[in-house]
Amino acid sequence: MLTAAYSTFKPFRKATSFLLWAIIHWLFVLQAAQANELPNLGSSDLVEYTKEKEQALGRAFKSALHTEYRVVTDPDIENYIRRIGHQIAQHTGDNRNFSFYVIENPDINAFAGPDGVIGIHTGLITSVRTEAELASVIAHEIAHVTQNHLSRRFELQSNSSITTIASIIAAILIGMQDSSAGMATLMGSMGADAQQQLKYSRAHESEADSAGISYLYKSGYNPYAMGDFFGRLSLAYQNSEFKPIEILQTHPVTEHRLAEARNRAQNYPPLIFKQDEESLTLIKLKLQSMSGQEDQSLLSTKLNKSEQCYADTLNLLKRSPLQLHKNSLSCLYDTIKSRPTQRLYQTLLYEVFLNPDVKDVPENIIKQAEFTHELYPQDPSALLRLTQLLIKDKKSEKAINLLEKETPDLQYQNQAYKLLSTTFAQENKMAAAYYYEALSYFNIGDVKRTNIYLNKAKNLTNSNETNILSKINHFESEHAKALKENNKDD
C-alpha cells in the first residue's frame, strides 16, 4: 500500500525510503528497549500515544530534519522565529518543550511534528506582510500540537502499527518539499479509511484555527491576522492556472473556514496589538542577502533610514567587507545609538568584525557584545556572537569558560556546542572536541551520532583528562534511556 503511493512520486522515492527505514528502525529499537513499559509497537492494539513515546518520536523527527533538509543556522533568523514561537507557546498551558526551526525552502509552508517540533519555511517569512501574519501561522501549527492532532490521527487507525506511525511522520517530512507527495504518502497509510481521515483533517484545521487565534490574541497579536493571511493567499491563487501553493494544499482554505476565523476574531475585545514590522523587514533583508534572490515582498516596502543602512551594510559585507570596515560603518553606529533596543543592528555590527577579511576586533566591539549578552542572557545568538569575537581576538579560554558555563541552560545548544567542539579541536584537545560534538548532536535528536562521538571521546581520554571522562560518565548516566534507544543500530 505504501509502496504504491511512493512510486507515483519518483523524485521523492529515495528520500522517502530512507526516512521510513530510519523511523521504522528506530521504532523497533524503542520497542526492544522498552518492552516492559510500552505497548508492543507491532501489535494491532496500540492505541496509547504516551508522552514518553511522543518525546522519543520528536527526537527522531528532529534528527531527520537536520539530516535531510537545509535548516537555517543564522543566529538572527533562528532567534527571531523562536522568540515569536515561544512567546505564543507560553500562552497555551501545554507543558511540551516546543522547538522551532527555519527550513531553507522558498515554498510558502509550515509544519508541526511530534513533541512540539515546529518548522517554518523561509518562503513563508518572505510572503507575510506583518509579523502578526507570521505569528498567526506559527500559532496555527502550535495549535495542531496542543490539540494532539498527530496522536489523534494515529489512534484513529483501526490497525495502528509501526508502519502507520512511520508513514504519518514521513508524510509530514515529505510534504515539506512537495505537499501532493506528502498527501499521497499519508493517504497510502490510511487505506480504506481515507475519506473518514479527510473529515478529521478538516476538523483538525478548524480546531487549529480556533485555538491558534486564541493563542495569537493572548500573545498580543491581532487575531484577524490569521484570516487575513490565508484569505489573501487563497484569493491570489484561486484563478491561477498553476497548482495551489503548498500551504494551501496542506491547509485548505474555504469560505466557511475564513468566515469562522473572522467570527472568532470578533469575539475578542480590542487591544493595542504588537506592531514590530521593523524586525520582520530586517529579517527579510537578511534572507534576501543570503539567498542572492530579490525578495518581491520588499519591492513595495519603503525602507526608512535605519533599514536602508542595514540593507547597505549587508550588501557591502557580502561584496567588499574590507571597504565596509574602513569606510562605511558610521551609519550602523548611528543606527545603533538611535535604535538601542533593536539588537539586529548590533548583531550585524558583530558580523562585520567576524568576517575573515577583517583582521582585528577592537576592544570596544567586544565590550559592546558583552553588554548585549548581559541584556539578553537567554538569546543563544548573543552568546554565540560574543564568544566568536573572543575566539577571533585570541581569548579562547574566556570563550570556552563562557560556553561551558552557559550553554547547558539554553534550550538550543547545537551551535554553541559545535563552537566548543571546533575550538577544542583547534587546540588539539580531541577528547573534549568529540565530547562537545556528541552534545551538539544530542540537542538535535541525533542519538546515533551522539553515541559515536561519545565513544570517540572515551577512546581518547587519558589520565590527564579525568574532567572530560567525568563529564561523559555523568551525561551517559543522565540520558541512559535515550542513548540506549539507538545503541543497537547495527
Side-chain angles (χ1 to χ4, degrees), residues 9 45 91 145 153 176 220 237 310 352 383 415 459 467 480:
F9 302 94
D45 61 351
H91 293 286
V145 176
R153 180 182 296 176
M176 287 155 47
Y237 284 88
Y310 190 87
V352 170
L383 175 63
Q415 289 197 67
N459 290 338
N467 183 40

Side-chain angles (χ1 to χ4, degrees), residues 308-443:
Q308 189 61 56
C309 172
Y310 190 87
D312 293 341
T313 305
L314 280 172
N315 291 334
L316 271 174
L317 184 57
K318 192 172 183 178
R319 296 197 312 268
S320 181
L322 280 178
Q323 178 187 349
L324 173 64
H325 177 47
K326 291 176 181 176
N327 305 316
S328 308
L329 283 181
S330 58
C331 86
L332 194 54
Y333 282 119
D334 291 342
T335 299
I336 291 170
K337 286 180 182 178
S338 64
R339 303 286 292 111
T341 60
Q342 178 51 272
R343 72 188 91 165
L344 289 172
Y345 294 120
Q346 299 170 34
T347 55
L348 182 58
L349 177 65
Y350 307 148
E351 277 189 62
V352 170
F353 289 97
L354 286 171
N355 189 282
D357 291 336
V358 179
K359 301 304 179 186
D360 299 316
V361 182
E363 186 61 29
N364 68 300
I365 294 297
I366 291 180
K367 287 194 176 300
Q368 189 167 337
E370 288 175 335
F371 182 64
T372 302
H373 174 55
E374 288 175 9
L375 282 177
Y376 308 103
Q378 289 302 310
D379 179 354
S381 64
L383 175 63
L384 278 171
R385 303 295 194 197
L386 170 58
T387 50
Q388 287 169 335
L389 287 167
L390 287 170
I391 291 167
K392 184 168 183 177
D393 198 39
K394 297 182 172 49
K395 297 174 181 174
S396 296
E397 185 176 351
K398 185 175 181 179
I400 287 171
N401 289 339
L402 259 176
L403 288 166
E404 287 187 321
K405 177 184 176 183
E406 300 191 18
T407 304
D409 294 329
L410 301 176
Q411 176 175 351
Y412 301 97
Q413 304 167 333
N414 174 250
Q415 289 197 67
Y417 280 139
K418 283 278 187 187
L419 182 57
L420 266 172
S421 176
T422 302
T423 306
F424 276 116
Q426 289 170 348
E427 297 183 359
N428 203 31
K429 297 178 179 178
M430 296 310 299
Y434 286 140
Y435 169 69
Y436 285 113
E437 189 77 0
L439 267 57
S440 73
Y441 278 116
F442 188 77
N443 188 242

Side-chain angles (χ1 to χ4, degrees), residues 99-148:
S99 54
F100 301 88
Y101 298 93
V102 181
I103 309 300
E104 187 182 334
N105 189 319
D107 294 333
I108 303 172
N109 211 353
F111 58 90
D115 200 33
V117 179
I118 308 292
I120 303 297
H121 283 198
T122 52
L124 175 66
I125 301 172
T126 59
S127 72
V128 298
R129 291 180 179 174
T130 66
E131 185 173 286
E133 288 187 351
L134 177 58
S136 75
V137 180
I138 296 174
H140 179 93
E141 298 304 330
I142 287 173
H144 275 307
V145 176
T146 62
Q147 303 308 300
N148 298 309

Side-chain angles (χ1 to χ4, degrees), residues 115-376:
D115 200 33
V117 179
I118 308 292
I120 303 297
H121 283 198
T122 52
L124 175 66
I125 301 172
T126 59
S127 72
V128 298
R129 291 180 179 174
T130 66
E131 185 173 286
E133 288 187 351
L134 177 58
S136 75
V137 180
I138 296 174
H140 179 93
E141 298 304 330
I142 287 173
H144 275 307
V145 176
T146 62
Q147 303 308 300
N148 298 309
H149 288 160
L150 182 61
S151 61
R152 285 161 62 187
R153 180 182 296 176
F154 160 64
E155 290 174 1
L156 281 167
Q157 292 300 107
S158 59
N159 60 339
S160 300
S161 64
I162 291 176
T163 305
T164 300
I165 306 171
S167 59
I168 290 173
I169 304 300
I172 299 170
L173 289 164
I174 299 164
M176 287 155 47
Q177 288 194 358
D178 186 292
S179 56
S180 58
M183 186 58 69
T185 304
L186 187 56
M187 291 300 102
S189 72
M190 291 176 178
D193 294 330
Q195 192 60 40
Q196 185 67 19
Q197 289 284 353
L198 283 173
K199 281 187 187 178
Y200 283 109
S201 178
R202 287 191 288 267
H204 289 173
E205 285 302 303
S206 179
E207 286 181 357
D209 284 349
S210 179
I213 289 171
S214 172
Y215 304 154
L216 197 62
Y217 180 82
K218 290 175 181 177
S219 303
Y221 289 104
N222 188 340
Y224 288 93
M226 185 179 294
D228 290 346
F229 177 67
F230 282 111
R232 188 176 75 251
L233 287 185
S234 180
L235 183 63
Y237 284 88
Q238 68 180 5
N239 296 320
S240 173
E241 62 185 46
F242 302 104
K243 74 176 185 178
I245 55 176
E246 282 71 9
I247 199 167
L248 295 182
Q249 294 190 61
T250 55
H251 304 72
V253 177
T254 64
E255 283 300 322
H256 176 70
R257 182 181 172 191
L258 292 176
E260 277 192 331
R262 286 190 290 269
N263 290 336
R264 289 180 184 121
Q266 288 173 358
N267 291 329
Y268 295 99
L271 283 177
I272 299 176
F273 300 114
K274 294 176 182 174
Q275 292 185 335
D276 179 13
E277 309 315 336
E278 182 183 49
S279 293
L280 176 62
T281 298
L282 298 182
I283 291 298
K284 285 186 175 187
L285 287 168
K286 190 154 205 189
L287 284 170
Q288 178 177 259
S289 176
M290 288 169 56
S291 68
Q293 298 177 345
E294 192 171 56
D295 182 346
Q296 297 300 313
S297 70
L298 288 170
L299 296 180
S300 59
T301 303
K302 186 175 180 181
L303 301 181
N304 61 35
K305 183 178 179 182
S306 296
E307 293 165 347
Q308 189 61 56
C309 172
Y310 190 87
D312 293 341
T313 305
L314 280 172
N315 291 334
L316 271 174
L317 184 57
K318 192 172 183 178
R319 296 197 312 268
S320 181
L322 280 178
Q323 178 187 349
L324 173 64
H325 177 47
K326 291 176 181 176
N327 305 316
S328 308
L329 283 181
S330 58
C331 86
L332 194 54
Y333 282 119
D334 291 342
T335 299
I336 291 170
K337 286 180 182 178
S338 64
R339 303 286 292 111
T341 60
Q342 178 51 272
R343 72 188 91 165
L344 289 172
Y345 294 120
Q346 299 170 34
T347 55
L348 182 58
L349 177 65
Y350 307 148
E351 277 189 62
V352 170
F353 289 97
L354 286 171
N355 189 282
D357 291 336
V358 179
K359 301 304 179 186
D360 299 316
V361 182
E363 186 61 29
N364 68 300
I365 294 297
I366 291 180
K367 287 194 176 300
Q368 189 167 337
E370 288 175 335
F371 182 64
T372 302
H373 174 55
E374 288 175 9
L375 282 177
Y376 308 103

